[in-house]
């Protein structure tokens, strides 16, 4: 697979990485003194309206990996976002004019708090957290990405699902004019994903609103997307406009497209091959052309946090 570099790398993308590294060192030293430079209680999340704008009041997370993070150029130019094209460099090139404001999120189904929320109101009650997660795409490549977001579990608690809510379903914006890739029939639109309620209330999944301390670029799913680090990347639905609490397992876009290749669970599993390729190893993007592939870990290395969710479940059948 060839990775094309964008011909016009904007200077702010480069500066933002440098600032980012400085900021991390600052946070690290702050932590040594006070166990965190931000006080949790008083601050609420503030979401800037432009991609790449600096996010404020971010706290560090105990769930971050200390593996080397990927370069911001890789993270913003090697993407999957079929609404903006099928090639890895398409989302960066084709999403530049996408407007992620105004933006609303509709909550419906088996929950006490339903309705249509403006993105700012939806985010405001929570503290932003940085979560540096190892990400594994079903196509056997991986990256380490410094996300900024809010724990999905906190959001769900606030929405008060009823006991009848067994699954959470997510949908991307459906608008052919704003998302030209939806003119093609490669997937059934809108892009749909789902989690069991137990998965969705596990501490790991986040609704991400940023990367590298800045508001999410369009190609990474602005203004808000899901990140589920123990599952293949396609579960991380971008540009979310709707969250539904439902009784029955929802059909996801990838399941509808190829049910023998993409299951509902999509847990990273080196022992269960994709019908067309092995999942035993992965290529870390940015490690160089001559770097050897590295072994893939069960649940992408997050086994201690999530294995209990699948007790008694046959992971080969429920892939
Ligand atoms: N709406 C939507 N969300 C999506 C996709 C997509 O095509 N459409 N692609 C998925 C896949 S296959 C991957 S690997 C991740 C990639 O996220 P990243 O580009 O931010 O690394 O987004 C996921 N979310
Ligand atoms: Mo993917």
């Amino acid at each position: 697979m060839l990775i094309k570099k964008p011909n016009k790398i904007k200077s702010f993308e480069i500066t933002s990485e440098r600032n980012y590294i400085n900021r991390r060192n600052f946070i690290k030293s702050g932590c040594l003194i006070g166990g965190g430079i931000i006080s949790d209680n008083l601050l609420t999340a503030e979401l800037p309206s432009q991609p790449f704008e600096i996010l404020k009041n971010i706290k560090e997370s105990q769930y971050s990996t200390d593996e080397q993070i990927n370069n911001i150029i890789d993270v913003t130019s090697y993407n999957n976002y079929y609404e903006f094209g099928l090639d890895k460099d398409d989302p960066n090139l084709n999403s530049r004019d996408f407007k992620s404001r105004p933006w609303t999120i509709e909550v419906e189904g088996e929950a006490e708090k339903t309705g249509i929320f403006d993105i700012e109101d939806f985010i405001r009650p929570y503290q932003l957290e940085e979560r540096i997660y190892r990400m594994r795409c079903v196509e056997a490549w991986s990256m380490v990405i410094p996300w900024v977001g809010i724990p999905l579990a906190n959001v769900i608690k606030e929405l008060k699902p009823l006991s009848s809510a067994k699954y959470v379903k997510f949908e991307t914006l459906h608008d052919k004019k704003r998302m030209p890739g939806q003119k093609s029939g490669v997937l059934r639109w809108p892009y749909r994903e789902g989690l069991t309620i137990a998965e969705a209330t596990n501490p790991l999944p986040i609704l991400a609103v940023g990367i590298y301390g800045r508001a999410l670029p369009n190609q990474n799913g602005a203004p808000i997307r899901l990140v589920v680090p123990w599952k293949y990347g396609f579960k991380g639905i971008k540009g979310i406009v709707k969250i539904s609490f439902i009784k029955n397992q929802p059909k996801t876009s990838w399941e509808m497209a190829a049910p023998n290749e993409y299951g509902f669970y999509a847990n990273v599993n080196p022992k269960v091959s994709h019908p067309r390729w092995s999942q035993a190893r992965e290529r870390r993007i940015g490690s160089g052309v001559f770097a050897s592939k590295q072994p893939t870990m069960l649940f992408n290395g997050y086994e201690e946090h999530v294995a209990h969710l699948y007790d008694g479940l046959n992971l080969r059948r429920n892939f």
Side-chain angles (χ1 to χ4, degrees), residues 80 88 136-141 191 232-235 254:
N80 272 333
K88 297 288 178 276
R136 172 61 158 77
C137 179
V138 74
E139 294 165 279
W141 49 264
Y191 194 97
Y232 291 121
F234 65 85
K235 299 298 279 188
W254 284 104

Side-chain angles (χ1 to χ4, degrees), residues 109-127:
E110 314 286 310
E112 275 179 42
K113 261 200 202 170
T114 55
I116 296 176
F117 303 89
D118 189 80
I119 178 94
E120 328 294 341
D121 300 331
F122 192 81
I123 295 296
R124 194 170 296 117
Y126 311 98
Q127 162 106 60

